[in-house]
Amino acid sequence: MMRISKSPQERKQEIIEAALELFMSQGYEKTSIAMIVERVGVAQGLFYYYFKSKEDVFQEAMQFYTDRLATEVIGELLAPEAASIFERFSAVIEHLSSMFEASDLVFNSDLNTGLVKEIDIQLSYYFSVTLVEPVAVLISLLEEKIGQSLGDVNQLSAFVVFGIFGLLHGHHDIGHQRMPTPEFLATLLARTIGVDVAMLLKEKIEIPEGQI
């Protein structure tokens, strides 16, 4: 049977996705390079053509995972259907809760591994930075809806997003904290931007096409 020829980028992406699946299901420590190449069906030599080590592919796999998650979360925040900010944040929290459960082996059981801890913090920060703009879009649209200026929307958005980042990581070195409830986040956001929480619960916001 003739082997399908793939571009170097396609082959590298295959290895990254196979590694991600194994890291998620087996944890970092129990995943080996041999397991990764067996899943893809390539020789170990090809693995080392693209990656220097297991640590190297782990970092790229987590970056791929974070990018994919950010795209999905932004899609929830800026879904075109009319929805309140509370409803949008609720969808995001449900999504992130599922993600935390799926990645428990990597980001809790193995978080005593220095490399894993370091990458977790780096990517969580990167993920938070990515969310500042879409949250700012929501605050701007809320301003238009209620006819009231809420101040510097970018600063407000950064304060809210990184406040959530702090809540998730807490003061502990190991593990993620429990995901805050939508009600708590709605109250936090309302107090931060200076509106009644009822506005976030009831005011429906539509996202204009091509907004972000």
Side-chain angles (χ1 to χ4, degrees), residues 7-9 11-12 15 43-53 56:
S7 70
Q9 190 55 43
R11 187 63 74 188
K12 181 180 181 181
I15 296 173
Q44 283 206 24
L46 188 64
F47 175 91
Y48 287 109
Y49 175 78
Y50 296 111
F51 307 100
K52 296 176 183 177
S53 60
D56 191 20

Side-chain angles (χ1 to χ4, degrees), residues 118-211:
E118 179 183 347
I119 291 175
D120 176 43
I121 295 295
Q122 287 176 355
L123 293 181
S124 294
Y125 176 82
Y126 165 80
F127 179 74
S128 299
V129 169
T130 304
L131 293 186
V132 169
E133 185 177 354
V135 171
V137 168
L138 285 179
I139 296 173
S140 294
L141 292 172
L142 179 64
E143 281 185 324
E144 295 176 13
K145 183 80 172 178
I146 65 177
Q148 175 186 338
S149 174
L150 300 174
D152 187 322
V153 295
N154 290 311
Q155 286 188 356
L156 288 172
S157 175
F159 188 83
V160 170
V161 170
F162 282 98
I164 295 170
F165 170 86
L167 286 172
L168 292 179
H169 286 276
H171 300 290
H172 303 278
D173 288 333
I174 297 178
H176 291 137
Q177 306 307 301
R178 189 174 54 140
M179 179 67 65
T181 65
E183 291 79 9
F184 177 83
L185 286 184
T187 301
L188 174 67
L189 180 57
R191 290 177 177 175
T192 301
I193 65 179
V195 299
D196 192 296
V197 70
M199 287 186 179
L200 305 185
L201 299 175
K202 298 177 181 178
E203 290 287 348
K204 301 288 186 181
I205 295 175
E206 293 186 19
I207 309 298
E209 188 175 350
Q211 179 69 56

Side-chain angles (χ1 to χ4, degrees), residues 12-99:
K12 181 180 181 181
Q13 187 61 32
E14 273 190 342
I15 296 173
I16 288 172
E17 292 185 27
L20 177 61
E21 290 174 5
L22 286 166
F23 288 134
M24 290 298 185
S25 62
Q26 304 298 319
Y28 177 78
E29 293 292 349
K30 292 183 180 178
T31 297
S32 67
I33 291 172
M35 292 166 65
I36 295 169
V37 298
E38 181 181 0
R39 175 159 295 203
V40 182
V42 298
Q44 283 206 24
L46 188 64
F47 175 91
Y48 287 109
Y49 175 78
Y50 296 111
F51 307 100
K52 296 176 183 177
S53 60
K54 184 173 84 168
E55 291 86 350
D56 191 20
V57 73
F58 176 75
Q59 185 145 9
E60 292 216 31
M62 291 301 104
Q63 183 66 63
F64 168 71
Y65 180 63
T66 304
D67 286 337
R68 186 176 67 186
L69 179 65
T71 299
E72 292 169 353
V73 167
I74 290 171
E76 299 278 10
L77 282 172
L78 302 181
E81 299 81 9
S84 68
I85 289 181
F86 174 78
E87 289 168 333
R88 294 175 187 278
F89 270 83
S90 295
V92 168
I93 287 172
E94 184 176 346
H95 196 102
L96 290 178
S97 296
S98 298
M99 179 276 287

